[in-house]
Amino acid sequence: MEYRGYDSAGIALHQKDSIFNLRTFGKVSLLEDGMIEQRPKSKLGIAHTRWATHGQPSEQNAHPHASSGEVHIVHNGIIENYLELTEKLTKDGYQFESETDSEVIAHLLHQHLQSSGDLLAAMHDAIKELDGAYAIAAIHINDKSRLIVARNKSPLLIGVGLEENFAASDPLALSQLTNEFVFLEDGDVAEITKQSYQVYDGKSSPVTRDVTEIDIAVNAVTKGEYSHFMEKEIYEQPDAVANTINGKFGEDDVLDNIFGLDSSEIFRKIKRIQFVACGTSLHAGKVGRFWFEQIAKIPCYVDFASEYRYRDPLVEEDTLFVTISQSGETADTLAALRYAQEKDYLSTLSICNVPTSSLARESEHVLFTNAGPEIGVASTKAFTTQLAGLMLLAMSIAKSLDRDQELRKNLASELKALPEVIKETLKLSDEILSIVPNIADKHNALFLGRGMFFPIVQEGALKLKEISYIHAEAYPAGELKHGPLALVDDQIPVVALSPENTLTEKLVSNLEEVKARGGTLYVFGGPNSKINLERGAYIQMPECSELLAPIIYTIPLQILAYQVACQRGTDLDQPRNLAKSVTVE
Ligand code: F6R
């Protein structure tokens, strides 16, 4: 579960007459070293990797947390009423050892155990007092055979094995142990033993949840010949995009209902689209907006998931609500979907990479991007496949609304050729490497683009900052003169995307303004460039269709960020302060 957080880690294991505990500050490998040294033996235990929310990363704040040395818990999520509970439990005599919100769970369980004497009953009682999001796993010193887990708004599943059972936040964590999973629902509590498991719903009644079979190829979760997961995932993009679009086309148009049963019928009614997502996935939505307006002729709104529901949005009639997410577990995106379900939307649709995720399960319509597991924190193949998925959506809606068949026909053949153009683009790697030294030693960078390439430079700037820690800002090139031009000097590299389209001339004028102020330009553009560079570099991109060019122009920015980070020697698959899947609000 390392990709969920890696600032500290810990483990608690049942031993003969005690519970073995080890917590370490820093990467999981340090915990591993400690385990190798101590070699504890056990058949029941819990472990956790942390991404700090309450309390800084430290050994003391690492999970598992314990109460009176008897109850040990791990928790993913945020307990919103933890201050209130801490006050109450402190009055009742409990002493807190960490600054986390999670420790209250251990003490609450301990308190309820005093009356019920049973960990399962205590869990049912304790969660009634918790507000917020949680996936909890708990063990008790006197209960050597049972693991008790509970879920609300944070993902949790049971991995079903032969004479062994597991619980985890993600099937990936168990992919080498089992291929049978039981996804718990909000309010569920489960009792897990070596031989069996039993799930109880929010009313404490036993329930049966379906067993889902998922085969995750082992090579999908290893780096293979590559130095980093991010590098592997960049190079997987031709296949990943091919997997997104495979089986979606007839001879020269997108097939009906590729977003699920009756989706084409529902699309006939659409008047507007509301996109909601976070980070890289939000950038995909911003590109999608151009496509929907140009291809399907439908107005679109795009919102940060973390902001959307707090602005009390007005929902216009026949608006389709679309979430975009690699993981399908991003807490803000999921909360936005749940908020939207209470509103008067035409339908909800998600573009998602993880079929078993909460987002995929809770949306009325879904398109899976089929990119395979993305492990590197910086999203790469998830983004380009989301774009391919959004293009499929724009075409599907245009088809349902009977708009521009000729354009759809051209797009269908261009999309089919896209994986080959991505392959060509990946060959630019050496050329990009030649500009890396001029960027890797700088503190700031500017990224410029126009139209649908503005979200692409936003994505490029995000990639550079998150893995190389160079401050990077993206601007629509025409906006430069309204302030940011003041930053331009010979110490700030300016990366620009200059595809050949109706905005090329305008962009070239903006780049001249940068040149005139001594800025060094690194431009990615088409073969007929009119930019005359005295410093910097011009890297020529392969030819591709105008509407699909945002997907192609993403690739060199990913490679650039990756190579700059390699040169700076950062831990780019696990950059500081970040986690791959952000399951807290
Ligand atoms: C950046 C990155 C993040 C994610 C964001 C949303 O490289 O990966 O910005 O895009 O946290 O995650 P998902 O797509 O899983 O909802």
Side-chain angles (χ1 to χ4, degrees):
M1 298 308 305
E2 216 170 346
Y3 65 93
R4 298 242 170 179
Y6 32 79
D7 55 46
S8 52
I11 190 161
L13 299 170
H14 258 289
Q15 302 277 264
K16 213 158 162 252
D17 301 306
S18 61
I19 290 199
F20 167 89
N21 242 304
L22 184 64
R23 298 188 294 180
T24 50
F25 166 55
K27 290 286 177 70
V28 181
S29 58
L30 296 173
L31 183 73
E32 222 174 323
D33 293 347
M35 292 292 283
I36 289 168
E37 213 178 288
Q38 304 196 36
R39 298 200 169 269
K41 289 209 165 58
S42 176
K43 290 189 171 157
L44 173 64
I46 52 178
H48 186 262
T49 66
R50 181 165 185 253
W51 181 75
T53 60
H54 297 61
Q56 62 188 11
S58 67
E59 192 181 318
Q60 207 176 15
N61 288 334
H63 301 214
H65 294 290
S67 184
S68 311
E70 293 172 8
V71 183
H72 297 249
I73 67 103
V74 291
H75 165 229
N76 173 31
I78 291 181
I79 304 302
E80 285 164 7
N81 59 338
Y82 84 102
L83 284 175
E84 207 179 301
L85 289 171
T86 304
E87 201 178 296
K88 179 189 137 233
L89 288 160
T90 308
K91 275 195 197 131
D92 294 343
Y94 285 98
Q95 278 179 2
F96 282 77
E97 285 171 12
S98 75
E99 302 154 297
T100 66
D101 55 322
S102 307
E103 194 181 341
V104 293
I105 303 169
H107 298 312
L108 258 188
L109 281 172
H110 185 269
Q111 191 168 57
H112 284 290
L113 264 162
Q114 306 315 305
S115 43
S116 66
D118 175 70
L119 190 58
L120 175 65
M123 184 66 91
H124 280 300
D125 293 337
I127 59 173
K128 289 189 190 123
E129 294 191 53
L130 300 177
D131 289 340
Y134 51 80
I136 305 168
I139 55 174
H140 188 271
I141 191 159
N142 295 336
D143 200 340
K144 292 195 167 37
S145 61
R146 283 195 310 171
L147 170 68
I148 306 293
V149 300
R151 164 189 169 142
N152 188 46
K153 295 191 209 152
S154 291
L156 184 61
L157 53 94
I158 299 171
V160 185
L162 276 178
E163 286 288 301
E164 53 179 1
N165 289 308
F166 311 90
S169 295
D170 190 317
L172 261 189
L174 304 177
S175 63
Q176 296 181 32
L177 300 166
T178 179
N179 64 352
E180 291 191 0
F181 301 96
V182 174
F183 290 88
L184 298 187
E185 295 184 7
D186 284 349
D188 282 356
V189 170
E191 177 182 43
I192 304 171
T193 67
K194 187 170 174 249
Q195 289 84 11
S196 65
Y197 64 88
Q198 176 64 55
V199 184
Y200 300 86
D201 66 10
K203 295 185 189 112
S204 312
S205 311
V207 279
T208 307
R209 302 268 177 246
D210 294 342
V211 177
T212 309
E213 255 188 51
I214 310 169
D215 287 305
I216 301 170
V218 174
N219 66 359
V221 285
T222 54
K223 280 192 287 221
E225 72 208 61
Y226 294 95
S227 310
H228 298 95
F229 279 108
M230 183 180 175
E231 186 189 23
K232 176 178 177 238
E233 287 155 10
I234 288 175
Y235 283 89
E236 278 173 350
Q237 290 178 108
D239 288 342
V241 168
N243 288 342
T244 311
I245 59 177
N246 272 351
K248 306 295 189 311
F249 288 104
E251 204 163 302
D252 51 15
D253 206 346
V254 65
L255 293 171
D256 288 338
N257 293 324
I258 58 170
F259 288 82
L261 217 59
D262 295 336
S263 52
S264 295
E265 189 59 36
I266 287 172
F267 291 169
R268 261 181 214 128
K269 300 191 197 131
I270 292 182
K271 296 217 181 81
R272 267 168 204 80
I273 296 186
Q274 169 73 62
F275 285 115
V276 169
C278 300
T280 290
S281 301
L282 182 81
H283 295 152
K286 289 183 178 180
V287 177
R289 179 186 192 174
F290 284 88
W291 289 340
F292 284 86
E293 299 193 346
Q294 285 184 28
I295 301 164
K297 313 273 186 280
I298 296 216
C300 286
Y301 309 114
V302 187
D303 270 276
F304 293 102
S306 53
E307 292 290 325
Y308 158 77
R309 66 192 194 284
Y310 299 110
R311 71 171 168 82
D312 206 3
L314 297 175
V315 181
E316 286 163 284
E317 210 182 326
D318 295 327
T319 303
L320 178 70
F321 183 85
V322 180
T323 52
I324 309 165
S325 173
Q326 188 285 127
S327 62
E329 299 295 353
T330 300
D332 283 316
T333 310
L334 208 48
L337 170 67
R338 289 170 182 161
Y339 174 90
Q341 279 160 343
E342 306 293 311
K343 300 272 164 185
D344 215 4
Y345 283 102
L346 176 65
S347 185
T348 58
L349 183 148
S350 118
I351 294 189
C352 186
N353 194 35
V354 181
T356 51
S357 63
S358 309
L359 199 72
R361 281 179 288 133
E362 293 180 30
S363 302
E364 286 171 270
H365 302 282
V366 191
L367 180 98
F368 298 120
T369 43
N370 298 331
E374 192 182 63
I375 313 282
V377 161
S379 202
T380 51
K381 63 176 179 174
F383 180 68
T384 43
T385 55
Q386 284 166 350
L387 290 177
L390 285 165
M391 181 51 95
L392 290 174
L393 182 60
M395 291 170 70
S396 297
I397 295 176
K399 187 179 178 193
S400 288
L401 297 174
D402 206 11
R403 291 190 180 147
D404 215 335
Q405 195 183 357
E406 199 49 36
L407 176 62
R408 294 201 313 271
K409 187 174 164 191
N410 293 339
L411 280 169
S413 73
E414 286 161 3
L415 259 180
K416 288 182 206 162
L418 190 64
E420 279 310 311
V421 189
I422 298 178
K423 268 190 203 157
E424 277 303 298
T425 316
L426 288 167
K427 292 185 188 152
L428 293 176
S429 166
D430 285 346
E431 220 175 316
I432 297 169
L433 194 57
S434 67
I435 64 172
V436 166
N438 307 336
I439 298 179
D441 64 347
K442 302 291 186 300
H443 299 296
N444 299 290
L446 265 180
F447 281 71
L448 304 178
R450 293 197 71 137
M452 60 179 105
F453 295 85
F454 172 52
I456 299 301
V457 288
Q458 285 187 300
E459 174 58 11
L462 175 62
K463 287 294 85 101
L464 186 70
K465 73 181 111 176
E466 71 179 324
I467 59 169
S468 75
Y469 315 147
I470 293 175
H471 170 232
E473 278 203 69
Y475 272 94
E479 189 63 18
L480 204 60
K481 55 190 171 294
H482 300 291
L485 201 53
L487 292 172
V488 171
D489 62 14
D490 59 1
Q491 285 306 303
I492 187 161
V494 181
V495 179
L497 297 186
S498 175
E500 275 148 24
N501 58 30
T502 47
L503 284 169
T504 313
E505 284 190 6
K506 306 251 175 249
L507 182 97
V508 170
S509 310
N510 303 141
L511 299 187
E512 288 296 340
E513 292 157 14
V514 172
K515 260 174 62 188
R517 270 104 193 147
T520 311
L521 284 164
Y522 300 95
V523 184
F524 296 90
N528 305 311
S529 165
K530 298 206 177 73
I531 305 169
N532 182 14
L533 294 180
E534 289 129 35
R535 288 178 302 282
Y538 188 91
I539 295 181
Q540 194 178 312
M541 296 287 292
E543 282 210 42
C544 71
S545 93
E546 201 175 316
L547 276 172
L548 293 180
I551 304 181
I552 297 303
Y553 275 73
T554 303
I555 312 282
L557 301 188
Q558 295 171 342
I559 297 175
L560 180 68
Y562 172 75
Q563 291 176 345
V564 167
C566 285
Q567 181 125 348
R568 286 168 70 96
T570 57
D571 188 354
L572 60 92
D573 272 339
Q574 296 185 338
R576 67 187 182 200
N577 305 341
L578 300 179
K580 177 71 183 158
S581 185
V582 186
T583 53
V584 292
E585 281 185 43

